[in-house]
Amino acid sequence: MKKILKRLFPGVSWQNPIVNTIIRCIDPIDYVSRFFNGLKLLPLYSVRVRSNGVTKQFGGKNFVKFGNLLVGILKEHAFIISDSKVLEIGCGCGRTAYGLTDFISDGCFTGIDIEKTSLDACRKTPLFVKKKFNFDFLDIKNEEYNPDGVHCASTYSFPYKDESFNVIYLVSVLLTC
């Protein structure tokens, strides 16, 4: 079935106009599911699939589960603590940030990405606003997520002062130019 779908809809699924329309039609049903599961603050299904894939996103449980798994990995391997200053490169629509909302108390979180729709969803999330989590757009060229980007990844310098963060991580980020 996957092979057939890939032939019918080549490229990134959410960029295909037909698939994108179908995905957006799922948003209200997904919201009802999230509401009854206590996950109504998660981004829309149509936003989550942009950085997390179409499968296993309905209802948000896997989104939260994987975000919490990543937080566990950060605790174990990056020694993240409640007052850590955290930078996530390629934060998407905030999967790991959701897990960190219950953990970061005296520190700070900054997520950066090259995909505006996902960042806008993060910036509008009341939980992230309340926690003062920051989400910054990097205008880096990428054929899939930001084809009109101004900067090339190989020569880009992050806009942060040295030692601004004590934990910096990325998950599933491929830099191209």
Side-chain angles (χ1 to χ4, degrees), residues 65-138:
K65 181 180 177 182
F66 192 59
N68 288 335
L69 173 71
L70 292 170
V71 170
I73 292 170
L74 288 170
K75 288 177 183 177
E76 183 178 343
H77 297 287
F79 309 108
I80 192 171
I81 55 176
S82 64
D83 66 347
S84 291
K85 297 173 184 171
V86 179
L87 173 66
E88 180 179 8
I89 301 169
C91 65
C93 61
R95 179 181 57 203
T96 310
Y98 276 95
L100 289 171
T101 58
D102 290 334
F103 186 70
I104 299 280
S105 57
D106 299 321
C108 66
F109 174 88
T110 299
I112 59 175
D113 209 301
I114 62 173
E115 206 274 306
K116 281 187 177 184
T117 300
S118 295
L119 283 175
D120 287 344
C122 289
R123 290 174 178 152
K124 293 175 186 174
T125 299
L127 182 59
F128 294 157
V129 172
K130 180 180 177 184
K131 294 290 290 188
K132 297 182 180 172
F133 282 15
N134 297 309
F135 296 92
D136 297 330
F137 175 68
L138 303 183

Side-chain angles (χ1 to χ4, degrees), residues 2-96:
K2 281 187 178 181
K3 289 181 182 179
I4 294 170
L5 289 173
K6 286 189 181 225
R7 286 184 187 171
L8 289 173
F9 306 110
V12 182
S13 59
W14 54 265
Q15 289 179 343
N16 181 290
I18 296 168
V19 175
N20 192 20
T21 300
I22 294 167
I23 287 171
R24 287 180 182 270
C25 289
I26 295 171
D27 281 342
I29 304 163
D30 175 71
Y31 177 79
V32 171
S33 175
R34 289 185 291 111
F35 180 84
F36 286 111
N37 288 316
L39 301 173
K40 67 180 182 179
L41 292 179
L42 295 183
L44 297 171
Y45 176 80
S46 59
V47 174
R48 292 193 316 270
V49 301
R50 296 173 85 88
S51 56
N52 298 286
V54 177
T55 60
K56 298 182 182 179
Q57 288 304 312
F58 184 81
K61 286 183 179 180
N62 282 324
F63 181 84
V64 171
K65 181 180 177 182
F66 192 59
N68 288 335
L69 173 71
L70 292 170
V71 170
I73 292 170
L74 288 170
K75 288 177 183 177
E76 183 178 343
H77 297 287
F79 309 108
I80 192 171
I81 55 176
S82 64
D83 66 347
S84 291
K85 297 173 184 171
V86 179
L87 173 66
E88 180 179 8
I89 301 169
C91 65
C93 61
R95 179 181 57 203
T96 310

Side-chain angles (χ1 to χ4, degrees), residues 133-152:
F133 282 15
N134 297 309
F135 296 92
D136 297 330
F137 175 68
L138 303 183
D139 199 6
I140 297 173
K141 182 178 179 78
N142 177 283
E143 292 306 317
E144 188 172 312
Y145 292 104
N146 191 19
D148 298 322
V150 174
H151 304 285
C152 179

